[in-house]
């Protein structure tokens, strides 16, 4: 008799399955006569320990995931572990035996919910069980978050409380282990998300970020996190990194601006968004209607396009009758061939650590998260992040490489949140002027922990490292962090407190003093090459904010000095040739080192024009063009950013030649005139229209003056001819005397 | 069987070579239908209206390039063709040619010619 394909295949060794199943069965079950009551097996504790041993000695040792899969199929978590927790909770947690069982359950729960990630050393078994485990973990999360009115999270915290209460000096390794288990379980819960590629079951809402946040609020997980974060320096030294991870996974992708709106504003915003979407759709329809055929589909129009040399092309359809532009558009669209493009290996390891994908929260979750964020800023920002930074710098044992990315992103997010909160407070003060007028304005002390010299050094070094190592996702997080620091400092300079002003002045001085920083920002924006939209967004924003602030700062401080590296090759050679003549060599080399150090770094007067001119090259233009190509998805802030850059290029730096390229012209033209143009009712559209018009006008004028531009329009300009094309004469060089 | 001795049953291997795929490369770009033609026709055909007609001028310019590209390399879509040509522009030979085209129109060169 025939067996269906794959029917007889055993994914898991049957013996293993039998062992695991018998253990799960022996653990306990629902009693026959008292069906809603879970009854523990006689040797439940030993069973739990055996299961744990199986996980360790079979799965981990042999790099399989078989036992984890069997446990999933046997419904261990939802069928046994969770009922045991509620049993422990309802027995008022007195019995020592039950406490040990609860702890053993927790010990199982943590590895079972551990996020499955794609990594380098995956075996066949990993690949085989991967989707199943992802799927089953979601159901674990669902069980943990919502099961009637049972509070599993609270129960789990309860397991850790005795260990928390012990002062750090008296804590045993076992206590530390328990705390670790509790925190890692919380982290796992936040991380688990339904895989978008697996079939949806229709109840994603129960395991969404919103559900997690609401459960955290309702079951005092937030209170626990706040307590630990604010005491991270004293009582919870080793837990800082896990706490950071929890925070990161809570806030990644959440839009700060929306979070800090009140409900009315948010719903207004949502209505606005819906409105813009509807408008977009109707404008799409309008555009289609403009070119839609007015007769039936078989009306059969065909036209000739007359071309040079008495040639003609044929195009069919009535829509091409009225407009030459539409005709050519259709000719282009009918071509089948596409330019072969290099396939890029998508980075999969960013699965759980991706922060560029936006996360949506419902209104309850927004309120809860905002409350948490505000309390966190008030109490825990400085202690936690200072501590984590030290751990990262020291490369402590508990730190894994991904943590630094999480650190920078989370810092950036909370800095933005702090600014949003301030803006909101000011708004409220303006609204009901009188009563709060006497209140003292807040200083920036709450976030001072990341505005010190050590953080800048760490940030600079990490940026340089990730840039050199091509760790683009890390660099993305670091750029966001740097941008937010700049913006925060910027806001500090407008603070009414003298102290803040002074500090801001100092920080700015430090940031802008090093010329290596300037060069790094420049290098990053120059080196963009298909790293994805999130990266593109971050790097354009950084260069935009950086340039603008530096411009203003150098205007205010006319005699600003920077520390620059200078090449002193000639002098080096001189020093080398003169060195052997010295008799006391050891002493001389010491001196030389000092002199050398003085020589390599030299202060000189800062010239903003020179720096701005450095940003004015074809590579940077290409980066911004790549960014502008997303114009249909960009918001007005982002469009403004690109607009300002092109404006700077064309009119402040007088290098409009860099923009004279057919593909750029094509892009600008499409943005204004379509098909698929920007929404013309927005104010930013007017600015772009004006900019495009001015650039085109210049281009046409230049073409008339210098016909060679007709060919040069096809290419990126060469440095040697750039100046001539712009000004019509060679650069005047002073005749050497 | 007489066929056997005549070798009629032996299979004759016919290896067909694929036709070489047309490419947009330096040679094509510099051939008569390439940039020389672009320069020639631009002088004759491109007339702009100037101030106040920026977008229609831009459209005219884009159409001019599109038709030229369609003649030069009909396979590629406009945007694809532009990217390919832009890449070619980094070649040594093309850079020399480009500099020559610019030198052609420089005032000093014109003075020399006359």
């Amino acid at each position: 008799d025939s067996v269906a394909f794959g029917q007889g295949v055993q994914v898991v060794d049957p013996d293993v399955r039998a062992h695991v199943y018998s253990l799960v069965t022996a653990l306990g079950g629902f009693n026959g006569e008292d069906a809603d009551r879970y009854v523990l097996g006689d040797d439940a504790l030993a069973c739990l320990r055996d299961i744990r041993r199986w996980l360790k000695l079979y799965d981990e040792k042999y790099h399989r995931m078989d036992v984890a899969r069997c446990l999933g199929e046997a419904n261990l978590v939802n069928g046994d572990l969770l009922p045991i927790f509620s049993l422990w909770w309802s027995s008022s947690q007195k019995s020592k035996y039950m406490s040990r069982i609860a702890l053993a359950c927790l010990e199982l729960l943590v590895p079972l919910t551990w996020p499955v990630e794609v990594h380098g050393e995956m075996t066949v078994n990993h690949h085989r069980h991967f989707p199943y485990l992802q799927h089953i973990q979601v159901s674990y999360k669902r069980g943990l978050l919502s099961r009637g009115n049972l509070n599993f999270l609270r129960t789990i915290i309860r397991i850790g409380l005795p260990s928390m209460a012990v002062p750090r000096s008296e804590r045993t390794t076992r206590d530390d282990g328990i705390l670790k288990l509790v925190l890692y379980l919380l982290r796992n819960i936040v991380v688990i998300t339904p895989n978008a590629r697996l079939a949806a079951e229709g109840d994603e809402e129960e395991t969404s970020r919103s559900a997690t946040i609401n459960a955290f609020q309702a079951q005092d997980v937030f209170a626990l996190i706040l307590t630990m974060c604010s005491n991270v320096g004293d009582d919870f030294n080793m837990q800082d990194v896990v706490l950071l991870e929890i925070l990161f996974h809570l806030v990644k992708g959440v839009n700060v601006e929306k979070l800090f709106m009140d409900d009315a504003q948010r719903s207004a915003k949502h209505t606005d968004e819906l409105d813009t979407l509807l408008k977009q759709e109707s404008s799409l329809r309008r555009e289609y209607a403009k070119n839609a055929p007015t007769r039936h589909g078989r009306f059969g129009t065909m036209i000739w396009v007359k071309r040079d040399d008495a040639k003609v092309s044929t195009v069919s359809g009535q829509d091409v009758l009225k407009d030459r532009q539409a005709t050519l558009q259709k000719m282009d669209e009918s071509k089948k061939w596409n330019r072969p493009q290099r396939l890029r290996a998508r980075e999969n390891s960013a699965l759980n650590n991706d922060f560029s994908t936006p996360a949506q929260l419902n209104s309850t979750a927004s309120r809860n998260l905002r409350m948490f964020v505000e309390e966190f800023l008030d109490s825990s920002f400085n202690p936690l992040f200072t501590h984590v930074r030290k751990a990262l710098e020291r490369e402590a044992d508990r730190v894994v490489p991904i943590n630094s990315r999480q650190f920078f992103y989370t810092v950036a997010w909370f800095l933005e949140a702090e600014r949003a909160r301030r803006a909101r407070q000011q708004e409220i003060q303006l609204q009901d002027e009188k009563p709060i007028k006497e209140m003292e304005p807040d200083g920036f002390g709450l976030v001072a922990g990341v505005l010190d010299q050590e953080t800048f050094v760490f940030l600079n070094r990490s940026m340089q490292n990730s840039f050199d190592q091509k760790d683009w996702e890390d660099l993305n997080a670091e750029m966001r962090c740097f941008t937010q620091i700049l913006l925060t400092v910027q806001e500090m300079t407008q603070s009414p407190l003298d102290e803040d002003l002074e500090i801001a002045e100092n920080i700015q001085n430090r940031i802008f003093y090093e010329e290596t920083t300037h060069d790094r920002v420049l290098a990053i924006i120059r080196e963009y090459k298909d790293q994805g939209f999130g990266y593109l967004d971050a790097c354009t924003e950084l260069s935009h904010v950086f340039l603008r602030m530096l411009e203003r700062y150098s205007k205010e401080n006319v005699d600003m000095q920077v520390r620059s590296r200078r090449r002193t090759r000639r002098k080096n050679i001189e020093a080398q040739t003169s060195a052997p003549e010295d008799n006391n060599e050891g002493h001389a080399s010491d001196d030389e080192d000092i002199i050398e150090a003085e020589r390599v770094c030299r202060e000189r007067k800062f010239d903003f024009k020179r720096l701005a001119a450095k940003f004015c090259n074809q590579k940077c233009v290409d980066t911004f063009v790549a960014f502008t190509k997303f114009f249909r998805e960009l918001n007005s802030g982002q469009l403004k950013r690109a607009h300002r850059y092109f404006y700077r290029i064309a009119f402040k730096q007088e290098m409009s030649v860099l923009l004279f390229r057919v593909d750029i012209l094509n892009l600008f033209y499409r943005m204004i005139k379509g098909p698929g143009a920007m929404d013309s009712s927005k104010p930013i559209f007017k600015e772009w229209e004006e900019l495009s018009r001015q650039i085109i006008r210049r281009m046409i004028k230049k073409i008339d003056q210098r016909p060679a531009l007709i060919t040069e329009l096809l290419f990126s300009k060469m440095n040697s001819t750039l100046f001539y094309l712009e000004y019509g004469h060679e650069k005047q060089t002073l005749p050497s005397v | 069987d007489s066929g056997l001795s005549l070798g009629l049953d032996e299979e004759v291997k016919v290896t067909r070579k694929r036709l070489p795929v047309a490419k947009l490369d330096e040679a094509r770009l510099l051939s008569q239908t390439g940039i020389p033609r672009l320069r020639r026709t631009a002088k004759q055909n491109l007339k702009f209206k100037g101030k106040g007609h920026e977008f229609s001028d831009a459209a005219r310019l884009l159409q001019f390039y599109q038709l030229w590209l369609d003649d030069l390399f009909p396979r590629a879509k406009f945007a694809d063709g532009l990217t390919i040509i832009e890449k070619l522009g980094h070649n040594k030979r093309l850079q020399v040619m480009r500099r020559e085209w610019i030198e052609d129109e420089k005032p000093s060169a014109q003075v020399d010619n006359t």
Side-chain angles (χ1 to χ4, degrees), chain A residues 305-309 311 313 323-325 328-329 331-339 341 618 622 661-663 665-666 668-670 672-673 688-690 692-694 696-697 699-700 703-718 720-721 724-725 728 730, chain B residues 21-22 29 35 37-39 41-43 45-46 48-90 94-96 98-99 101-103 105-107:
Chain A
V305 181
K306 271 199 189 170
R307 307 173 60 160
D308 297 347
D309 309 335
K311 277 199 298 187
S313 312
D323 187 356
R324 188 173 169 79
Q325 195 67 21
L328 287 182
Q329 179 76 20
M331 267 173 70
D332 203 41
E333 273 165 9
S334 62
K335 294 185 179 178
K336 295 275 188 327
W337 186 73
N338 286 316
R339 189 170 63 94
Q341 271 163 333
Q618 198 74 58
D622 285 348
R661 225 168 58 189
V662 185
D663 55 334
L665 174 69
N666 196 19
F668 284 3
Y669 184 82
R670 296 260 171 279
I672 307 300
K673 291 285 170 187
W688 267 99
E689 191 183 18
E690 194 50 37
S692 307
R693 186 191 311 258
Q694 295 297 342
I696 294 169
R697 178 182 300 169
M699 187 187 307
I700 301 289
I703 291 175
D704 279 343
Q705 288 167 1
R706 283 187 271 295
L709 261 180
I710 286 292
T711 54
E712 281 299 294
L713 273 184
L714 290 168
F715 308 106
S716 296
K717 310 294 172 286
M718 297 176 288
S720 53
T721 54
Y724 168 74
L725 289 174
E730 290 300 334
Chain B
V21 181
L29 194 60
I35 286 188
R37 198 185 130 181
L38 180 78
R39 302 180 65 200
T41 45
K43 253 176 227 158
N45 300 352
L46 262 187
F48 296 118
K49 285 191 178 171
K51 201 176 167 184
H53 300 274
E54 282 83 6
F55 286 103
S56 62
D57 278 348
R60 193 165 301 125
L61 194 63
L62 286 172
Q63 286 170 15
F64 170 72
Y65 277 105
Q66 192 182 333
L67 287 176
W68 168 74
L69 209 69
D70 188 62
D71 278 339
L72 177 68
F73 190 64
R75 255 152 90 78
K77 290 180 185 129
F78 187 40
D80 285 346
L82 287 179
T83 332
I84 296 173
I85 292 181
E86 202 281 322
K87 242 183 208 154
L88 286 175
H90 297 281
L94 258 172
Q95 295 216 331
V96 174
R98 282 166 62 188
R99 206 161 302 149
W101 293 321
I102 296 175
E103 295 291 333
E105 62 156 56
K106 272 190 188 171

Side-chain angles (χ1 to χ4, degrees), chain A residues 65 83 91-92 100 130 193 237 264 377 495 534 582 603 627 631 680 711 723:
Chain A
M65 289 173 142
S91 71
S92 70
R100 283 165 74 187
F130 199 86
T193 37
N237 251 335
L377 284 168
S495 158
D582 269 326
E603 294 195 0
F627 182 62
F631 67 91
S680 58
T711 54
F723 193 86

